[in-house]
Amino acid sequence: MAGEADWHPPVGLMVGGELRESINELNAWRRNLANLKDWSEILADYDQNDAWALRNHFVEPMVYFCMLQPSSTRDRLAQVATNGIHQANLCTQAGYKDVLDQDRLMPGKFLGRPRTERQLARLAKHWAGADRLLAALQSLDSESYRQQTFDYRNRASHFIAPRLELGEVQFVTRSIVPATRMVQQPDGSYRQKEIDGKKVVAYDLGGIRPLTLNEIIETNSCEYHFAIAALDAYSDLLREIVSAKTSKG
């Protein structure tokens, strides 16, 4: 394994262990996604009531797991790659300091995604595989994916996620919008005009429809393949690093 080759202990244990755990997480995602595909075929043979009970007991936990993976995988691999590349830089760059942005944080705290990926880009900029890795990471949990899934991960973590197959959520939404007033027009009609600098509370009727199991499988499968591409990119970068370390002697 590239992560365990030609590193000084305990660095080899860290780099290899984090790569191995990343693989384990993707394998767990793959298994759950395969199970969802099986359940999609099984549920077609049941009436609505029985299918609802089966989804509730067996399918929804797997949906929840799979739907959180694109975001968590992007953040996890970014941090894993940061650790591996940082250690490589310590071995190959004269004067490189053992300092990371997260060193200033309290224990148990993590950098947000933008800061993590900016740091990764900075640390990896002189490695040939850096651009491929960053592009692969940024294909995960994209704005398009979040729109397709009604921002499921964010809503599930902080509020109420869209339902599976049946039921709408958030019939009423609260928002802060520009205040308006009615202004008479020259023809005697009226139209609304925004009041500069003034905001008001608005309550709107809406609702978020449920996601179908097939929608979830389709979108999540694409994200899984993006994750595999990101892991492959990091593995290839590790091979580049090992080669550079070997050449340096």
Short mmCIF file of all heavy atoms in Angstrom, two decimals, residues 83-123:
data_model
loop_
_atom_site.label_atom_id
_atom_site.label_comp_id
_atom_site.label_asym_id
_atom_site.label_seq_id
_atom_site.Cartn_x
_atom_site.Cartn_y
_atom_site.Cartn_z
N ASN A 83 -2.81 15.52 5.81
CA ASN A 83 -1.85 14.88 6.70
C ASN A 83 -0.75 14.18 5.91
O ASN A 83 0.44 14.29 6.24
CB ASN A 83 -2.55 13.88 7.62
CG ASN A 83 -3.40 14.56 8.68
OD1 ASN A 83 -3.24 15.75 8.94
ND2 ASN A 83 -4.30 13.82 9.29
N GLY A 84 -1.15 13.43 4.87
CA GLY A 84 -0.15 12.71 4.09
C GLY A 84 0.80 13.63 3.36
O GLY A 84 2.03 13.43 3.36
N ILE A 85 0.28 14.68 2.72
CA ILE A 85 1.12 15.60 1.96
C ILE A 85 2.00 16.42 2.90
O ILE A 85 3.17 16.71 2.59
CB ILE A 85 0.23 16.50 1.08
CG1 ILE A 85 -0.43 15.64 -0.01
CG2 ILE A 85 1.04 17.63 0.45
CD1 ILE A 85 -1.55 16.34 -0.75
N HIS A 86 1.46 16.78 4.04
CA HIS A 86 2.25 17.53 5.02
C HIS A 86 3.48 16.72 5.44
O HIS A 86 4.60 17.24 5.51
CB HIS A 86 1.38 17.86 6.23
CG HIS A 86 2.10 18.54 7.34
ND1 HIS A 86 2.70 19.78 7.21
CD2 HIS A 86 2.34 18.15 8.63
CE1 HIS A 86 3.26 20.13 8.36
NE2 HIS A 86 3.06 19.16 9.23
N GLN A 87 3.27 15.43 5.72
CA GLN A 87 4.40 14.59 6.11
C GLN A 87 5.40 14.43 4.96
O GLN A 87 6.61 14.41 5.18
CB GLN A 87 3.89 13.22 6.56
CG GLN A 87 3.09 13.25 7.85
CD GLN A 87 3.87 13.80 9.02
OE1 GLN A 87 5.07 13.55 9.17
NE2 GLN A 87 3.19 14.58 9.88
N ALA A 88 4.88 14.34 3.74
CA ALA A 88 5.77 14.24 2.59
C ALA A 88 6.61 15.51 2.44
O ALA A 88 7.82 15.45 2.15
CB ALA A 88 4.96 14.01 1.32
N ASN A 89 5.99 16.66 2.66
CA ASN A 89 6.73 17.92 2.55
C ASN A 89 7.83 18.02 3.61
O ASN A 89 8.91 18.54 3.34
CB ASN A 89 5.77 19.10 2.70
CG ASN A 89 4.83 19.24 1.51
OD1 ASN A 89 5.02 18.62 0.47
ND2 ASN A 89 3.79 20.04 1.67
N LEU A 90 7.54 17.50 4.79
CA LEU A 90 8.56 17.51 5.84
C LEU A 90 9.79 16.70 5.44
O LEU A 90 10.92 17.04 5.82
CB LEU A 90 7.97 16.95 7.15
CG LEU A 90 7.01 17.86 7.92
CD1 LEU A 90 6.29 17.07 9.01
CD2 LEU A 90 7.76 19.04 8.52
N CYS A 91 9.55 15.64 4.66
CA CYS A 91 10.65 14.76 4.25
C CYS A 91 11.40 15.28 3.03
O CYS A 91 12.58 14.92 2.83
CB CYS A 91 10.11 13.36 3.94
SG CYS A 91 9.38 12.50 5.34
N THR A 92 10.74 16.07 2.20
CA THR A 92 11.33 16.40 0.89
C THR A 92 11.67 17.87 0.69
O THR A 92 12.39 18.20 -0.26
CB THR A 92 10.36 15.98 -0.24
OG1 THR A 92 9.11 16.66 -0.08
CG2 THR A 92 10.12 14.47 -0.21
N GLN A 93 11.17 18.76 1.55
CA GLN A 93 11.39 20.19 1.34
C GLN A 93 12.27 20.76 2.46
O GLN A 93 11.89 20.70 3.64
CB GLN A 93 10.07 20.95 1.30
CG GLN A 93 9.18 20.61 0.14
CD GLN A 93 7.93 21.46 0.11
OE1 GLN A 93 7.96 22.65 0.43
NE2 GLN A 93 6.83 20.87 -0.30
N ALA A 94 13.40 21.29 2.09
CA ALA A 94 14.29 21.90 3.08
C ALA A 94 13.62 23.11 3.72
O ALA A 94 13.03 23.95 3.02
CB ALA A 94 15.60 22.32 2.40
N GLY A 95 13.68 23.19 5.03
CA GLY A 95 13.13 24.34 5.75
C GLY A 95 11.63 24.31 5.96
O GLY A 95 11.06 25.24 6.53
N TYR A 96 10.97 23.23 5.52
CA TYR A 96 9.51 23.14 5.69
C TYR A 96 9.20 22.93 7.17
O TYR A 96 9.83 22.10 7.85
CB TYR A 96 8.98 21.98 4.85
CG TYR A 96 7.47 21.81 4.88
CD1 TYR A 96 6.66 22.53 4.02
CD2 TYR A 96 6.87 20.93 5.77
CE1 TYR A 96 5.28 22.38 4.03
CE2 TYR A 96 5.50 20.77 5.80
CZ TYR A 96 4.71 21.50 4.93
OH TYR A 96 3.34 21.33 4.96
N LYS A 97 8.22 23.66 7.69
CA LYS A 97 7.89 23.63 9.11
C LYS A 97 6.73 22.68 9.40
O LYS A 97 5.79 22.56 8.60
CB LYS A 97 7.52 25.03 9.60
CG LYS A 97 8.59 26.09 9.37
CD LYS A 97 9.86 25.78 10.15
CE LYS A 97 10.89 26.91 9.98
NZ LYS A 97 12.15 26.61 10.68
N ASP A 98 6.80 22.05 10.54
CA ASP A 98 5.73 21.13 10.98
C ASP A 98 4.61 21.95 11.62
O ASP A 98 4.36 21.87 12.83
CB ASP A 98 6.29 20.11 11.96
CG ASP A 98 5.33 18.95 12.21
OD1 ASP A 98 4.21 18.97 11.63
OD2 ASP A 98 5.68 18.04 12.97
N VAL A 99 3.92 22.74 10.79
CA VAL A 99 2.87 23.64 11.26
C VAL A 99 1.68 23.54 10.31
O VAL A 99 1.84 23.59 9.09
CB VAL A 99 3.36 25.11 11.31
CG1 VAL A 99 2.22 26.04 11.71
CG2 VAL A 99 4.53 25.25 12.27
N LEU A 100 0.48 23.39 10.87
CA LEU A 100 -0.75 23.35 10.10
C LEU A 100 -1.73 24.38 10.65
O LEU A 100 -1.66 24.73 11.84
CB LEU A 100 -1.38 21.96 10.15
CG LEU A 100 -0.62 20.84 9.42
CD1 LEU A 100 -1.22 19.48 9.76
CD2 LEU A 100 -0.62 21.08 7.92
N ASP A 101 -2.65 24.82 9.82
CA ASP A 101 -3.61 25.85 10.25
C ASP A 101 -4.42 25.41 11.45
O ASP A 101 -4.75 26.22 12.32
CB ASP A 101 -4.55 26.19 9.09
CG ASP A 101 -3.84 26.89 7.94
OD1 ASP A 101 -2.66 27.27 8.11
OD2 ASP A 101 -4.47 27.07 6.88
N GLN A 102 -4.76 24.13 11.53
CA GLN A 102 -5.61 23.64 12.61
C GLN A 102 -4.89 23.58 13.96
O GLN A 102 -5.52 23.34 14.99
CB GLN A 102 -6.20 22.27 12.29
CG GLN A 102 -5.19 21.19 11.95
CD GLN A 102 -5.02 21.06 10.45
OE1 GLN A 102 -5.00 22.06 9.73
NE2 GLN A 102 -4.92 19.83 9.98
N ASP A 103 -3.57 23.81 13.96
CA ASP A 103 -2.84 23.78 15.22
C ASP A 103 -3.32 24.86 16.17
O ASP A 103 -3.12 24.76 17.39
CB ASP A 103 -1.34 23.95 14.97
CG ASP A 103 -0.73 22.80 14.18
OD1 ASP A 103 -1.39 21.74 14.10
OD2 ASP A 103 0.39 22.96 13.66
N ARG A 104 -3.95 25.89 15.63
CA ARG A 104 -4.42 27.01 16.46
C ARG A 104 -5.80 26.74 17.08
O ARG A 104 -6.27 27.53 17.91
CB ARG A 104 -4.48 28.29 15.64
CG ARG A 104 -3.16 28.67 14.96
CD ARG A 104 -3.30 29.98 14.20
NE ARG A 104 -2.09 30.34 13.46
CZ ARG A 104 -1.86 30.00 12.21
NH1 ARG A 104 -2.79 29.31 11.54
NH2 ARG A 104 -0.75 30.35 11.61
N LEU A 105 -6.44 25.66 16.66
CA LEU A 105 -7.79 25.37 17.14
C LEU A 105 -7.76 24.63 18.47
O LEU A 105 -6.77 23.98 18.82
CB LEU A 105 -8.54 24.52 16.11
CG LEU A 105 -8.69 25.12 14.70
CD1 LEU A 105 -9.43 24.13 13.81
CD2 LEU A 105 -9.43 26.45 14.75
N MET A 106 -8.87 24.70 19.17
CA MET A 106 -9.03 23.93 20.40
C MET A 106 -9.08 22.43 20.07
O MET A 106 -9.52 22.06 18.97
CB MET A 106 -10.31 24.35 21.12
CG MET A 106 -10.31 25.78 21.62
SD MET A 106 -9.16 26.03 22.99
CE MET A 106 -10.00 25.08 24.28
N PRO A 107 -8.65 21.56 20.97
CA PRO A 107 -8.73 20.12 20.72
C PRO A 107 -10.15 19.68 20.37
O PRO A 107 -11.12 20.14 20.98
CB PRO A 107 -8.29 19.51 22.06
CG PRO A 107 -7.42 20.56 22.68
CD PRO A 107 -8.02 21.87 22.27
N GLY A 108 -10.26 18.83 19.37
CA GLY A 108 -11.57 18.35 18.94
C GLY A 108 -12.25 19.22 17.91
O GLY A 108 -13.31 18.87 17.41
N LYS A 109 -11.67 20.37 17.59
CA LYS A 109 -12.23 21.26 16.58
C LYS A 109 -11.54 21.01 15.24
O LYS A 109 -10.39 20.58 15.18
CB LYS A 109 -12.05 22.73 16.99
CG LYS A 109 -12.71 23.10 18.30
CD LYS A 109 -14.22 22.99 18.22
CE LYS A 109 -14.87 23.46 19.52
NZ LYS A 109 -16.35 23.34 19.45
N PHE A 110 -12.28 21.28 14.16
CA PHE A 110 -11.75 21.08 12.82
C PHE A 110 -11.93 22.34 11.99
O PHE A 110 -12.87 23.10 12.20
CB PHE A 110 -12.46 19.90 12.13
CG PHE A 110 -12.25 18.58 12.82
CD1 PHE A 110 -13.13 18.14 13.79
CD2 PHE A 110 -11.16 17.79 12.49
CE1 PHE A 110 -12.94 16.93 14.43
CE2 PHE A 110 -10.96 16.57 13.12
CZ PHE A 110 -11.84 16.14 14.09
N LEU A 111 -11.03 22.53 11.04
CA LEU A 111 -11.20 23.63 10.09
C LEU A 111 -12.45 23.40 9.26
O LEU A 111 -12.82 22.27 8.96
CB LEU A 111 -10.00 23.71 9.15
CG LEU A 111 -8.63 24.06 9.73
CD1 LEU A 111 -7.59 23.99 8.63
CD2 LEU A 111 -8.64 25.43 10.39
N GLY A 112 -13.11 24.47 8.86
CA GLY A 112 -14.22 24.34 7.93
C GLY A 112 -13.71 23.92 6.56
O GLY A 112 -12.51 23.99 6.26
N ARG A 113 -14.62 23.51 5.70
CA ARG A 113 -14.23 23.01 4.38
C ARG A 113 -13.44 24.01 3.55
O ARG A 113 -12.39 23.64 2.99
CB ARG A 113 -15.48 22.55 3.61
CG ARG A 113 -15.16 22.04 2.21
CD ARG A 113 -16.41 21.57 1.50
NE ARG A 113 -16.96 20.38 2.15
CZ ARG A 113 -18.11 19.82 1.81
NH1 ARG A 113 -18.85 20.35 0.83
NH2 ARG A 113 -18.54 18.75 2.44
N PRO A 114 -13.86 25.26 3.43
CA PRO A 114 -13.08 26.20 2.61
C PRO A 114 -11.64 26.34 3.09
O PRO A 114 -10.69 26.33 2.28
CB PRO A 114 -13.86 27.51 2.72
CG PRO A 114 -15.26 27.10 3.02
CD PRO A 114 -15.12 25.90 3.92
N ARG A 115 -11.44 26.46 4.40
CA ARG A 115 -10.09 26.62 4.93
C ARG A 115 -9.28 25.35 4.75
O ARG A 115 -8.08 25.40 4.44
CB ARG A 115 -10.14 27.02 6.41
CG ARG A 115 -10.69 28.40 6.68
CD ARG A 115 -10.68 28.71 8.16
NE ARG A 115 -9.32 28.75 8.70
CZ ARG A 115 -9.05 28.80 10.00
NH1 ARG A 115 -10.04 28.80 10.89
NH2 ARG A 115 -7.80 28.85 10.42
N THR A 116 -9.93 24.20 4.94
CA THR A 116 -9.22 22.93 4.77
C THR A 116 -8.74 22.77 3.34
O THR A 116 -7.58 22.37 3.09
CB THR A 116 -10.14 21.75 5.13
OG1 THR A 116 -10.49 21.83 6.52
CG2 THR A 116 -9.47 20.41 4.88
N GLU A 117 -9.60 23.07 2.37
CA GLU A 117 -9.22 22.87 0.98
C GLU A 117 -8.24 23.93 0.49
O GLU A 117 -7.39 23.65 -0.36
CB GLU A 117 -10.48 22.80 0.11
CG GLU A 117 -11.31 21.56 0.43
CD GLU A 117 -12.52 21.37 -0.45
OE1 GLU A 117 -12.78 22.23 -1.33
OE2 GLU A 117 -13.23 20.37 -0.26
N ARG A 118 -8.31 25.13 1.04
CA ARG A 118 -7.30 26.13 0.69
C ARG A 118 -5.93 25.72 1.21
O ARG A 118 -4.91 25.85 0.51
CB ARG A 118 -7.68 27.50 1.27
CG ARG A 118 -8.78 28.23 0.50
CD ARG A 118 -8.81 29.71 0.86
NE ARG A 118 -9.07 29.94 2.27
CZ ARG A 118 -10.29 30.09 2.79
NH1 ARG A 118 -11.36 30.02 2.03
NH2 ARG A 118 -10.43 30.31 4.09
N GLN A 119 -5.90 25.20 2.42
CA GLN A 119 -4.64 24.73 2.98
C GLN A 119 -4.10 23.55 2.17
O GLN A 119 -2.89 23.49 1.86
CB GLN A 119 -4.81 24.31 4.44
CG GLN A 119 -3.55 23.70 5.04
CD GLN A 119 -3.70 23.37 6.52
OE1 GLN A 119 -2.97 23.91 7.35
NE2 GLN A 119 -4.62 22.48 6.85
N LEU A 120 -4.96 22.62 1.81
CA LEU A 120 -4.54 21.47 1.01
C LEU A 120 -3.94 21.92 -0.31
O LEU A 120 -2.89 21.42 -0.74
CB LEU A 120 -5.72 20.54 0.78
CG LEU A 120 -5.47 19.32 -0.12
CD1 LEU A 120 -4.35 18.46 0.44
CD2 LEU A 120 -6.75 18.50 -0.27
N ALA A 121 -4.58 22.87 -0.98
CA ALA A 121 -4.07 23.38 -2.25
C ALA A 121 -2.70 24.01 -2.06
O ALA A 121 -1.80 23.85 -2.91
CB ALA A 121 -5.05 24.38 -2.84
N ARG A 122 -2.52 24.72 -0.97
CA ARG A 122 -1.23 25.37 -0.70
C ARG A 122 -0.12 24.35 -0.44
O ARG A 122 0.99 24.45 -0.96
CB ARG A 122 -1.38 26.31 0.50
CG ARG A 122 -0.15 27.16 0.80
CD ARG A 122 -0.41 28.11 1.94
NE ARG A 122 -0.44 27.44 3.24
CZ ARG A 122 -1.52 27.33 4.00
NH1 ARG A 122 -2.69 27.83 3.60
NH2 ARG A 122 -1.47 26.74 5.18
N LEU A 123 -0.43 23.33 0.37
CA LEU A 123 0.57 22.33 0.71
C LEU A 123 0.95 21.45 -0.47
O LEU A 123 2.08 20.98 -0.58
CB LEU A 123 0.07 21.45 1.86
CG LEU A 123 -0.26 22.13 3.19
CD1 LEU A 123 -0.66 21.09 4.22
CD2 LEU A 123 0.91 22.95 3.69
#
